[in-house]
Amino acid sequence: NNTLGQLGNGSYNNGSAYLAPKRDHNVSFKSVDAGLGHSLALDENNNLYAWGHNIHGVIGDGRSDNFVTTPKKILNKTFKVVSAGAYHSIAIDSNNDLYTWGYNAFGQLGNGNGGSVSNRVLAPTLITRGVY
């Protein structure tokens, strides 16, 4: 299903489904995680990419409530691990620093500011340094 652009193939909401893997870009990925309507991936050089429905800023490009229909590089740093929640995203960079962004109504970003339906962070934000 690609109704939210989560396949990263340059389209969304077209009612089409892909029943087999399809390569639509020239980036080689080594790790990927899928959220409710967005996806995160690390390329072979550990660069972070995101795509899909950017509700609550889950893509991390400083915007919200838009669609990113092809993989978009996020930040100019390298990462080791990414994880996509339903409406939030988490990543650990090469220095073991923890970053979070997206929806935070339940405190899932770990920044101490949860508890409000309107609380969201639109770009990766440093939460802790080198803990992991």
Side-chain angles (χ1 to χ4, degrees):
N1 187 332
N2 195 39
T3 57
L4 300 175
Q6 62 267 47
L7 295 183
N9 65 3
S11 67
Y12 70 92
N13 204 19
N14 60 7
S16 62
Y18 292 88
L19 303 179
K22 181 179 178 187
R23 186 177 183 107
D24 288 311
H25 42 79
N26 293 322
V27 179
S28 294
F29 293 107
K30 67 177 189 176
S31 175
V32 65
D33 197 36
L36 184 62
H38 75 293
S39 301
L40 303 175
L42 295 177
D43 73 6
E44 57 192 11
N45 295 314
N46 296 318
N47 295 301
L48 171 63
Y49 287 80
W51 62 93
H53 188 200
N54 197 19
I55 189 167
H56 301 298
V58 296
I59 301 299
D61 64 355
R63 300 180 61 194
S64 68
D65 298 329
N66 60 313
F67 293 92
V68 177
T69 60
T70 58
K72 180 176 188 175
K73 186 177 175 184
I74 307 299
L75 289 183
N76 197 18
K77 348 174 45 49
T78 57
F79 288 85
K80 297 182 349 182
V81 178
V82 296
S83 182
Y87 296 113
H88 70 290
S89 302
I90 301 172
I92 298 173
D93 75 5
S94 57
N95 294 319
N96 293 323
D97 296 339
L98 176 67
Y99 289 81
T100 63
W101 62 100
Y103 191 53
N104 195 38
F106 307 106
Q108 61 267 49
L109 298 185
N111 64 7
N113 295 324
S116 168
V117 175
S118 64
N119 192 330
R120 58 188 180 183
V121 176
L122 303 180
T125 302
L126 179 65
I127 301 300
T128 59
R129 290 202 177 272
V131 175
Y132 303 96

